[in-house]
Amino acid sequence: MDTEEFHLPRSRTANERLHALIPGGAHTYAKGDDQYPEHLAPVISHGRGAHVWDVDGNRYVEYGSGLRSVSLGHAHPRVIEAVRRELDRGSNFVRPSILEVEAAERFLATVPTAEMVKFAKNGSDATTAAVRLARAVTGRPRVAVCGDHPFFSVDDWFIGTTPMSAGIPAATEELTVAFPYGDLAATEELLTRYEDEVACLILEPATHADPPPGYLAGLRELADRHGCVLIFDEMITGFRWSEAGAQGLYGVVPDLSTFGKALGNGFAVSALAGRRELMERGGLRDSRDRVFLLSTTHGAETHSLAAAMAVQTTYAEEGIATQLHSLGERLAAGVREVAAAMGVGDHLVVRGRASNLVFATLDETGQPSQRYRTLFLRHLLAGGVLAPSFVVSSALSDADIAHTVDAVAQACAVYRKALDAGDPTPWSAGRPVKPVFRRLA
């Protein structure tokens, strides 16, 4: 489809309705229409497998499904059937459902490096509970976050470190400090500078590349030596790296870890897991001051726990983590091949673990460019590919990947023209897409 003929009138109208009623026009900033070319932000009608349809009737091959949460594809039959079995049995009771212990048993069998688990509905609740628990058990106020990782929580202890810190007291911001990924010496210097003040180190165990040799083990040793809690945020690495998370893959056991996203295949469920000695501080069998760990009305909603159990079974029985890596490798190879053939191989760069691919759009000087990202996204959309990233789901077929590579090739041909002209504006139309974290709208 010619991009000049590609319009989304119904989506445009729906976006106006969204902004009139919902701050930001979406319930997640990363889903905002500012993340897409102007007037080309599809509003979704429905999805199945690796495809979604917008309210204008266009079908897309979709990547980054549900911000990495739908790793099995939309409306996965096994997950939907597990959910459907619970819908007629009630979803929430005044006492625990038997499903709660069954889901906990299944999770701890899948992630054997943890000894106890508590479920919630979103990742921020789990990471904030981990931080609160770390502060309680250490008696220390400061939180050390990995400054190279983009997001940990919607709560003040983290958002205060971002450009969107309006409304957060400076006293709260000052209690969060940052360390660089992969640099043990800098982390030790931080822990020494704030000796006996840092409650925890929290980081994603891996992102675009495997951790440097010995890095995670070195962090484990540093945390032990300085008496702080080591927390792995496995929201993304959980399941996408392996069923047992990055901790299972790399063999380094944190004190606490948090899971979400792929755990429910789109259903709202997250988990805080970790050592019994720490987790019991939020329970009823410890004589010390109690920690308000996690207590949510909907945290153990039965159909979400059923979805999580079905996801774990599917991963184990069908080797989903291996499938994701294989699909990602094929996609990355195809994209790199056509980008090189079109003369933009140094400007459209695919990065990351095969199961968690992202792409960078670089300008004439090799610098990251939102304007070139706008051009690229616009031409992918016109080619029937919705791809804020290249994060795959296991529902992708060979035909889907071939279609995606063809759309990328067409977009790269235009990319080359823009590079030759030294200006992508004529091919991107309208304002550029924007970063999520920025001070002003």
Side-chain angles (χ1 to χ4, degrees), residues 146 148 179-185 187 212 215:
C146 182
D148 297 313
F179 62 92
Y181 187 81
D183 191 335
L184 290 173
T187 305
Y215 173 62

Side-chain angles (χ1 to χ4, degrees), residues 130-269:
V131 165
R132 185 185 304 118
L133 183 56
R135 282 172 160 161
V137 300
T138 62
R140 299 174 177 180
R142 294 189 188 274
V143 176
V145 304
C146 182
D148 297 313
H149 297 163
F151 188 79
F152 289 104
S153 175
V154 301
D155 294 296
D156 289 3
W157 64 269
F158 174 71
I159 294 299
T161 69
T162 76
M164 294 176 70
S165 60
I168 298 172
T172 299
E173 295 180 31
E174 291 165 3
L175 291 176
T176 300
V177 295
F179 62 92
Y181 187 81
D183 191 335
L184 290 173
T187 305
E188 181 160 28
E189 191 277 329
L190 181 78
L191 292 172
T192 302
R193 188 190 328 156
Y194 297 108
E195 191 67 49
D196 298 329
E197 293 183 39
V198 176
C200 60
L201 300 170
I202 181 168
L203 73 156
E204 296 180 57
T207 52
H208 299 320
D210 286 330
Y215 173 62
L216 295 180
L219 274 185
R220 174 72 276 173
E221 190 275 330
L222 276 180
D224 290 340
R225 182 149 47 89
H226 287 269
C228 56
V229 174
L230 180 61
I231 304 170
F232 283 176
D233 178 338
E234 297 242 36
M235 292 295 158
I236 294 173
T237 54
F239 297 94
R240 282 197 175 273
W241 264 239
S242 79
E243 296 93 302
Q247 60 193 278
L249 183 65
Y250 301 125
V252 176
V253 181
D255 298 300
L256 300 171
S257 54
T258 59
F259 289 75
K261 292 191 181 290
L263 179 58
N265 202 54
F267 286 90
V269 59

Side-chain angles (χ1 to χ4, degrees), residues 2-17:
D2 189 324
T3 57
E4 298 306 316
E5 300 174 0
F6 184 60
H7 302 286
L8 300 176
R10 292 180 180 173
S11 289
R12 185 171 179 177
T13 299
N15 275 311
E16 290 300 319
R17 291 169 59 198

Side-chain angles (χ1 to χ4, degrees), residues 341-359:
M342 295 294 172
V344 297
D346 293 332
H347 299 272
L348 175 67
V349 182
V350 180
R351 297 171 174 161
R353 193 174 183 84
S355 60
N356 191 53
L357 295 171
V358 297
F359 57 82

Side-chain angles (χ1 to χ4, degrees), residues 1 14 35 66-67 96 103 113 153 189 293 317 340 375 439:
M1 182 188 301
Q35 302 300 293
L67 305 182
T113 40
S153 175
E189 191 277 329
L293 190 57
E317 293 185 1
L375 177 155
R439 190 163 296 279

